[in-house]
Amino acid sequence: QITLKESGPTLVKPTQTLTLTCTFSGFSLSTSGVGVGWIRQPPGKALEWLALIYWNDDKRYSPSLKSRLTITKDTSKNQVVLTMTNMDPVDTATYYCAHSTTVTPPYNWFDPWGQGTLVTVSS
Amino acid sequence: EIVLTQSPATLSLSPGERATLSCRASQSVSSYLAWYQQKPGQAPRLLIYDASNRATGIPARFSGSGSGTDFTLTISSLEPEDFAVYYCQQRSNWSPFTFGPGTKVDIK
């Protein structure tokens, strides 16, 4: 069974850097084809894809946020870390991580997702 | 970037009725479209991928169709647990992943 869980601060100040950790079980990021993505959702609004990292360290970023994002993996700890610099109140959202794979169905889709963690940006 | 438009924004139906949700892409995404269900306070759950394939454990009353730019999610007979928000997502090779704005299915 695949599970993911996000962790990190619930409150950050404007201009600070946010660091979120996704800890997962039931799969390994050293397995060919596996990926972990980050998606966020402002309160009452739609989903927005942020970043994705694959087993081979290939990384993809949302073009609109690329300059502020860094995604890394620690295979030994079964963790993926997302950092977002220069946080602003508009970045207030629930941040989700999700599993993806290129080798078995559902190919390249986000399934399953973690429960999400709400991050509020306020001074 | 491919923009997804969903309609209607809200669909008010009664249990047992048929729900038809639409997702339109600003350019062709072939069959690279998925549907997710999100209930209040919960993470999204994958329902349909590659336009018409049900994800593991998804009941047969959920079905997806379409290709290119026009897609449909159909719930044949609404169960009480189906009242939720539904998002479509595309993963075209030449565009970042994008999601639609969502359709809320609520009880009439």
Side-chain angles (χ1 to χ4, degrees):
Chain A
Q1 179 192 7
I2 291 174
T3 64
L4 307 98
K5 187 172 184 179
E6 306 85 354
S7 59
T10 57
L11 179 67
V12 298
K13 290 181 167 51
T15 75
Q16 286 187 336
T17 294
L18 171 68
T19 299
L20 294 173
T21 301
C22 176
T23 303
F24 54 84
S25 63
F27 67 95
S28 172
L29 252 180
S30 60
T31 301
S32 179
V34 173
V36 172
W38 285 93
I39 304 100
R40 71 178 179 178
Q41 184 175 38
K45 296 189 177 180
L47 301 161
E48 178 183 21
W49 171 70
L50 301 176
L52 175 60
I53 189 167
Y54 291 101
W55 84 104
N56 58 359
D57 214 36
D58 182 19
K59 301 169 186 178
R60 308 290 172 89
Y61 295 101
S62 166
S64 62
L65 292 167
K66 185 175 183 177
S67 64
R68 299 174 53 205
L69 296 173
T70 303
I71 189 169
T72 60
K73 62 181 175 67
D74 187 329
T75 305
S76 65
K77 293 183 179 179
N78 281 351
Q79 291 181 336
V80 170
V81 175
L82 181 75
T83 61
M84 180 180 291
T85 61
N86 195 25
M87 294 292 285
D88 183 271
V90 299
D91 297 313
T92 294
T94 296
Y95 287 75
Y96 297 99
C97 62
H99 167 268
S100 179
T101 176
T102 65
V103 296
T104 57
Y107 305 100
N108 291 306
W109 299 105
F110 296 118
D111 180 52
W113 297 47
Q115 64 188 27
T117 185
L118 176 61
V119 178
T120 301
V121 184
S122 175
S123 54
Chain B
E1 177 178 303
I2 294 175
V3 176
L4 298 179
T5 304
Q6 291 187 242
S7 61
T10 303
L11 194 54
S12 297
L13 295 168
S14 301
E17 290 193 295
R18 182 184 189 90
T20 303
L21 288 68
S22 174
C23 177
R24 177 165 290 180
S26 60
Q27 56 185 281
S28 176
V29 299
S30 185
S31 294
Y32 297 136
L33 189 108
W35 291 93
Y36 297 84
Q37 176 193 66
Q38 187 178 34
K39 297 179 182 179
Q42 296 185 17
R45 176 176 70 147
L46 180 68
L47 296 177
I48 301 288
Y49 66 94
D50 293 347
S52 61
N53 296 293
R54 274 190 303 277
T56 302
I58 302 303
R61 64 181 181 271
F62 291 93
S63 64
S65 64
S67 66
T69 60
D70 291 297
F71 299 87
T72 300
L73 173 69
T74 301
I75 310 171
S76 60
S77 178
L78 282 164
E79 297 288 339
E81 62 268 28
D82 299 336
F83 292 92
V85 179
Y86 293 84
Y87 293 96
C88 56
Q89 181 217 334
Q90 64 80 25
R91 62 168 185 85
S92 172
N93 289 337
W94 53 86
S95 171
F97 301 121
T98 53
F99 291 86
T103 289
K104 182 178 182 181
V105 179
D106 66 13
I107 300 177
K108 187 174 182 180

